[in-house]
Amino acid sequence: MIITLNPLAGKVEVEQICQQLKNLELEAATLPHRPDISLMIYGVITENKLEIIRRLPKVVRTEKIQMPYHRASKQLHPEASVIQVGNVKVGGGNFAMIGGPCSIENSMQLEETAEYVKASGSNMLRGGAFKPRTSPYSFQGMGKQGLDLLHKVGKKLDMPIVSEVMSIDQIELFGDVDMFQVGARNMQNFDLLKELGKTNKPVLLKRGLSATIQEWLMSAEYIMSEGNENVILCERGIRTFETYTRNTADLSAIAAIKKLSHLPIVIDPSHAAGKRDMIESLALAAVAAGADGLIIETHPHPEEAISDGEQSLYPDQYAALTEKVWKLHQFMKTL
Amino acid sequence: MIITLNPLAGKVEVEQICQQLKNLELEAATLPHRPDISLMIYGVITENKLEIIRRLPKVVRTEKIQMPYHRASKQLHPEASVIQVGNVKVGGGNFAMIGGPCSIENSMQLEETAEYVKASGSNMLRGGAFKPRTSPYSFQGMGKQGLDLLHKVGKKLDMPIVSEVMSIDQIELFGDVDMFQVGARNMQNFDLLKELGKTNKPVLLKRGLSATIQEWLMSAEYIMSEGNENVILCERGIRTFETYTRNTADLSAIAAIKKLSHLPIVIDPSHAAGKRDMIESLALAAVAAGADGLIIETHPHPEEAISDGEQSLYPDQYAALTEKVWKLHQFMKTL
Amino acid sequence: MIITLNPLAGKVEVEQICQQLKNLELEAATLPHRPDISLMIYGVITENKLEIIRRLPKVVRTEKIQMPYHRASKQLHPEASVIQVGNVKVGGGNFAMIGGPCSIENSMQLEETAEYVKASGSNMLRGGAFKPRTSPYSFQGMGKQGLDLLHKVGKKLDMPIVSEVMSIDQIELFGDVDMFQVGARNMQNFDLLKELGKTNKPVLLKRGLSATIQEWLMSAEYIMSEGNENVILCERGIRTFETYTRNTADLSAIAAIKKLSHLPIVIDPSHAAGKRDMIESLALAAVAAGADGLIIETHPHPEEAISDGEQSLYPDQYAALTEKVWKLHQFMKTL
Amino acid sequence: MIITLNPLAGKVEVEQICQQLKNLELEAATLPHRPDISLMIYGVITENKLEIIRRLPKVVRTEKIQMPYHRASKQLHPEASVIQVGNVKVGGGNFAMIGGPCSIENSMQLEETAEYVKASGSNMLRGGAFKPRTSPYSFQGMGKQGLDLLHKVGKKLDMPIVSEVMSIDQIELFGDVDMFQVGARNMQNFDLLKELGKTNKPVLLKRGLSATIQEWLMSAEYIMSEGNENVILCERGIRTFETYTRNTADLSAIAAIKKLSHLPIVIDPSHAAGKRDMIESLALAAVAAGADGLIIETHPHPEEAISDGEQSLYPDQYAALTEKVWKLHQFMKTL
């Protein structure tokens, strides 16, 4: 339950109320993200206790917590969060244009990609070093060496970098990475989420292939409940009966998240569509729908890519799309 | 199979080729929507016959038909179709903004709605007279009387009208209606589709709840194969595991249809989301993705609507959205 | 609402109660399928009226109607229905083993199939004369001529026959057919359902590809609300993300239907799996789960079948399966 | 590629062939699970090399590897695997009846449950000590203490025990556990799978909520490719649009796995249905379909269970079901 106090209540009065709640065997914590003076109450609140609480001095309102996620919920944090990733802000009107290859393959490929990604006006660099592949016999990524390359290139071009972490023991290798990515397959790897929650580095949390909006927010809550509130949600297509596309982009997730949560949401049209020539349409749709960013795969030579070549944009396609994205993002602010 | 002839081939030469094909027990028909001189060949084409065909004078190319739908396919009709609905063009850069109530309830409700729909800048009016309801005990629509009201109001405001037809015996009641709508539940009611194909009135063909893109185009083909090429596709959300929304809007269908077909595609965000406050985000996304129109439910008093009240926009919401839609549609042409 | 009367209430007393309800502007109808004396009440029941009803003489209990389907519900009809199809009973412990080809192709094919289907111990014959095909260019069935063949063969072998009806205007052609089949694509063709409800011939109602259990029962209700209570439900696989099978057999539908409804349920493993070598496993599973019947495709020469050859059993497979099915059905009664 | 040798080939000849393959820059390994003498060939096999291989002495046949999973495939291991879990065999006609509570709550609850599970004729005990809960605020399990209780009770009753492992760092705590369980949410936690592959303890691998059959077998391959071939697959319901059941039991997975793989498959009707009164129907269906075992949740007082109470069987229900399961399992061998 949440109780809201008279805006004139002073620090001493708030402390008195907390003490009175303690006498009722209830814990209370202030809610820093609410514009009013509010307390969240933990413990079993009986009818009798509720009656007492309502009559406490300075208490003007009590309300139920509507959602099973608290920290991810808009109720406890009405304003949109702005997450700082390196020198880039995401959310609250700040847009992230994240580009890069699916897998980091070698130094030349990464540098070449990063340069045109930067030149096109993107503000963040992605690249996979640890790859969750369906087959144990497929390329599993360059590992730590890939992260080092990514760091070097990101630093040179002054772009924050994001890369996928697959297990707890990899966390310590991500010291130079600006944002962890949790992949769709690990969205409910709760032990991993808890460990990431003990860091203070931003986490890009992809939605699971068949995760409901609520389950996705509950997974964000796993990270946030450990103290790390720097979570960015990423929709990357859900699994449906349709086989023409790799997955089905659920762009209604944008409006849903904006209504339920204060966390930014980024769209990944590359994995959603799985087809290069559908990316632009989906990316622009995401911007118009109100997304806080895009994460898009590109490769200097998609036909030679080790993974996901058929969904990677050619350099000129990527540049053209980025230009449109920024123009549309600016235009949407005028509507 | 399709064969393309030398652009200099004259009428007589084309006829000669058709005769030679006939001698091979093959039928041929010219393809009016291709920019080149092309013939479509029907019949079993053996290796030997193919060899002969390739050596016929004026034949410059043979190509396989790639898709099981022919008339709906871009291969036989490379340019985007423009469908004329009353005085409104849809497709090929022409945008349809279709608004109105889910069900026609009475004269006053319909007139009031139609007036603000028109005033907001919409160019087509929707209204259900025959309602496919899950329960036999729910309101089944005003029937013919509803169609008459719709016609009267549409005529007064000079707006073409669209309404759902549910069975073959209703077709004759739609004389004054400018466009048939086939609902999601009837997308594979093949006998109905064939009968609509025998008219020359436009058909707004909604995608079935769990129809693949290909099945949807095959249903368009059922209409077109009977001679009626005036088909407009309408995506209205597919059925997935997600329960937060009524259905899941599949906006990637826009890019898919643009790639596979020449038919226009309109988006119905009302049924897709099922929640009023998600409509705007999805509608703008659809415009940015390249949709040829929108069909949106609105009601003067949604809380009193007989059906679908929770997804119907309030008049001021509808007007505000329509304005944004047109501005965005114009802007997209500049990108 | 349902009210239950004292079992000693006489006819006159029931009539008096009905009159008293009428005075309250409520309609009442007796419920013939309930073991107790019960009345169903139609109309708006206010708190005040409810109070009066409860105090009426002989009224011992009032209960809410739990489900939106009434006639299909177990609440109004606690005992399992037994549906008579020709000389065969289905439901309430009576098992239907229905076999035959997907499409009726010609006299010889049908006779040959029917003979081994009969010889194997099956008690009903299936065969498609009107075929709902995804493509307008595929074989659409032999039509009336096919029905005539089916009738002739069924009569000769003394087996009731079942065949799919696709539209209202076909109904009159089914005079000699013992049971209508409504296909998955027409499960929500409500006008067709209503017309079938005006006949008294049994209807085998297939579940739509993405219909929920509740929607399926609502479609049964459409038929029953017009007076025809002879409905048999048929699960034939639902559409999911899995591509290995044609559809996903939802065998949990058996337990669900047994709990919610009194109608018999038959399983179609042929369309569910779409693969010949999976039929036996699913068919036996359905019997063990408590299904009231099976409908299975078989063909004398599956590799030459016009439609669905890959899921049609060879004659010897069909015979072997039928034997196992009957043995297992008997065994289940001993558990 | 696989090459099969003349059955009369001696050890020396096989070695010679391996040497000749090495000269072609190909690696070869014998396939111990094939009844014939077969070699699996690794490396790039050009047309020229294939020609040479076919002419090598003793080579009688070459065949492509059909599936991306090798060790899980029936092609390399035609006979059904029998997995030894403590003193119980699973697969190849040996049936596992696994019962126990969702969560281990305390010593008394576990002992009471285990005693009636054992008495009913079950041969394995399940109990969750680490619980993957959607919410971080839900009970997360008793942890190591729970495993110790499970071990104590299993030892006393002479039943092998199975419990879920959620992360790599928990593996070492499972020394006394007879079989690891990998939950649906971790089916593609590839790092965990690889680590389990380095042990030689059996792994019960649950299918992910939206995993295809092929993805599931690929996850088994992750474990097996590290050397641990003791994998038992467990179907526990997939996520579909249906909301009446918690998930949709995919019993066609039984026939599919039997066709594609040699690994045993066990069914979990508790999580599939999520409703106590549907368990029996699904459990018996699974036995009839050919499953190698069942894993079922039961609790002495389901209404007081900390988790999954609504799907836990009462003790008498569990006992009655177990008796039917064994009878049916025996009967199926006579069909």
Side-chain angles (χ1 to χ4, degrees), chain A residues 10-175:
Chain A
K11 205 181 160 186
V12 174
E13 287 166 308
V14 174
E15 276 169 14
Q16 282 172 343
I17 289 168
C18 288
Q19 184 55 50
Q20 286 166 306
L21 290 165
K22 215 165 193 171
N23 297 345
L24 295 169
E25 294 184 333
L26 297 171
E27 287 292 317
T30 51
L31 292 173
H33 301 301
R34 294 261 296 211
D36 44 24
I37 305 180
S38 293
L39 297 174
M40 185 157 164
I41 315 294
Y42 301 91
V44 180
I45 302 168
T46 60
E47 280 295 309
N48 286 342
K49 288 184 186 178
L50 182 58
E51 203 49 45
I52 296 168
I53 290 168
R54 282 189 179 139
R55 289 192 201 140
L56 287 178
K58 304 290 175 195
V59 169
V60 295
R61 196 160 41 108
T62 64
E63 51 181 300
K64 274 195 184 170
I65 293 176
Q66 293 155 1
M67 297 296 176
Y69 39 88
H70 302 168
R71 291 167 191 257
S73 162
K74 228 176 165 167
Q75 193 183 15
L76 273 66
H77 192 316
E79 274 196 44
S81 279
V82 178
I83 309 292
Q84 187 80 36
V85 186
N87 56 9
V88 172
K89 285 179 163 44
V90 187
N94 303 286
F95 194 85
M97 183 67 191
I98 312 170
C102 175
S103 298
I104 301 167
E105 297 170 7
N106 57 59
S107 173
M108 211 171 71
Q109 168 244 20
L110 186 64
E111 279 181 46
E112 190 178 342
T113 310
E115 268 160 31
Y116 70 74
V117 162
K118 170 83 178 184
S120 73
S122 304
N123 54 12
M124 217 180 293
L125 183 64
R126 61 151 289 153
F130 298 96
K131 301 298 304 172
R133 306 300 298 274
T134 306
S135 167
Y137 311 122
S138 299
F139 176 60
Q140 308 272 315
M142 286 182 74
K144 178 67 172 96
Q145 202 191 340
L147 290 183
D148 290 343
L149 280 180
L150 190 63
H151 171 56
K152 207 186 83 189
V153 173
K155 203 172 171 190
K156 182 177 154 199
L157 295 172
D158 196 26
M159 299 177 89
I161 57 174
V162 52
S163 197
E164 178 163 354
V165 62
M166 285 175 63
S167 65
I168 294 173
D169 62 342
Q170 289 169 5
I171 292 178
E172 60 180 353
L173 307 177
F174 279 66

Side-chain angles (χ1 to χ4, degrees), chain B residues 61-88:
Chain B
R61 198 161 40 111
T62 64
E63 51 181 299
K64 274 195 185 170
I65 293 176
Q66 293 155 359
M67 298 295 176
Y69 39 90
H70 302 167
R71 289 166 192 258
S73 160
K74 229 177 164 168
Q75 193 183 16
L76 273 64
H77 192 316
E79 273 196 43
S81 279
V82 178
I83 310 291
Q84 187 79 37
V85 185
N87 56 8
V88 172

Side-chain angles (χ1 to χ4, degrees), chain C residues 136-147:
Chain C
Y137 310 122
S138 299
F139 176 61
Q140 308 271 314
M142 286 183 74
K144 178 69 171 94
Q145 201 191 340
L147 292 182

Side-chain angles (χ1 to χ4, degrees), chain A residues 129-314:
Chain A
F130 298 96
K131 301 298 304 172
R133 306 300 298 274
T134 306
S135 167
Y137 311 122
S138 299
F139 176 60
Q140 308 272 315
M142 286 182 74
K144 178 67 172 96
Q145 202 191 340
L147 290 183
D148 290 343
L149 280 180
L150 190 63
H151 171 56
K152 207 186 83 189
V153 173
K155 203 172 171 190
K156 182 177 154 199
L157 295 172
D158 196 26
M159 299 177 89
I161 57 174
V162 52
S163 197
E164 178 163 354
V165 62
M166 285 175 63
S167 65
I168 294 173
D169 62 342
Q170 289 169 5
I171 292 178
E172 60 180 353
L173 307 177
F174 279 66
D176 293 328
V177 174
D178 297 284
M179 178 156 62
F180 294 111
Q181 178 181 309
V182 174
R185 289 168 187 78
N186 273 322
M187 192 202 85
Q188 293 192 316
N189 182 338
F190 299 123
D191 286 284
L192 177 60
L193 299 179
K194 283 186 207 169
E195 283 302 309
L196 296 173
K198 290 172 189 159
T199 75
N200 61 1
K201 200 188 287 277
V203 179
L204 186 73
L205 179 64
K206 292 208 163 184
R207 182 179 181 184
L209 269 76
S210 64
T212 63
I213 301 269
Q214 174 156 326
E215 287 168 344
W216 190 17
L217 287 169
M218 290 309 296
S219 285
E221 191 79 11
Y222 258 99
I223 299 169
M224 298 171 86
S225 69
E226 298 287 335
N228 184 356
E229 301 217 329
N230 300 306
V231 177
I232 299 176
L233 300 166
C234 179
E235 155 70 29
R236 42 78 73 210
I238 56 173
R239 188 160 270 188
T240 69
F241 62 84
E242 177 62 75
T243 52
Y244 183 74
T245 44
R246 182 169 172 180
N247 296 285
T248 296
D250 179 9
L251 296 188
S252 62
I254 300 169
I257 291 297
K258 292 288 167 205
K259 194 174 156 194
L260 299 170
S261 178
H262 55 91
L263 298 174
I265 176 170
V266 159
I267 303 296
D268 171 356
S270 305
H271 285 86
K275 286 188 152 79
R276 189 180 299 125
D277 51 12
M278 297 179 71
I279 307 295
E280 180 173 307
S281 171
L282 282 174
L284 297 177
V287 175
D292 299 297
L294 288 166
I295 180 165
I296 292 178
E297 290 185 352
T298 178
H299 193 284
H301 310 286
E303 63 287 349
E304 295 167 15
I306 291 181
S307 57
D308 285 352
E310 68 287 357
Q311 72 194 33
S312 292
L313 294 184
Y314 285 93

Side-chain angles (χ1 to χ4, degrees), chain B residues 68 70-71 132-137 140 166-170 185-186 188-191 194 209-212 215 218-219 221-222 225 239, chain C residues 68 70-71 132-137 140 166-170 185-186 188-191 194 209-212 215 218-219 221-222 225 239:
Chain B
H70 302 167
R71 289 166 192 258
R133 306 299 298 275
T134 306
S135 167
Y137 310 123
Q140 308 273 313
M166 284 174 64
S167 64
I168 293 172
D169 62 342
Q170 289 170 5
R185 289 167 186 79
N186 274 322
Q188 293 192 315
N189 182 338
F190 298 122
D191 288 282
K194 283 186 207 169
L209 270 75
S210 63
T212 62
E215 287 168 344
M218 290 309 295
S219 285
E221 191 79 10
Y222 258 98
S225 69
R239 187 158 270 186
Chain C
H70 302 166
R71 291 166 192 258
R133 305 301 297 275
T134 306
S135 168
Y137 310 122
Q140 308 271 314
M166 284 175 64
S167 64
I168 293 172
D169 62 342
Q170 289 169 4
R185 289 167 187 78
N186 274 321
Q188 292 191 317
N189 182 338
F190 298 123
D191 287 282
K194 283 186 207 168
L209 270 75
S210 64
T212 62
E215 287 168 343
M218 291 309 295
S219 285
E221 192 78 11
Y222 258 98
S225 69
R239 188 160 270 187

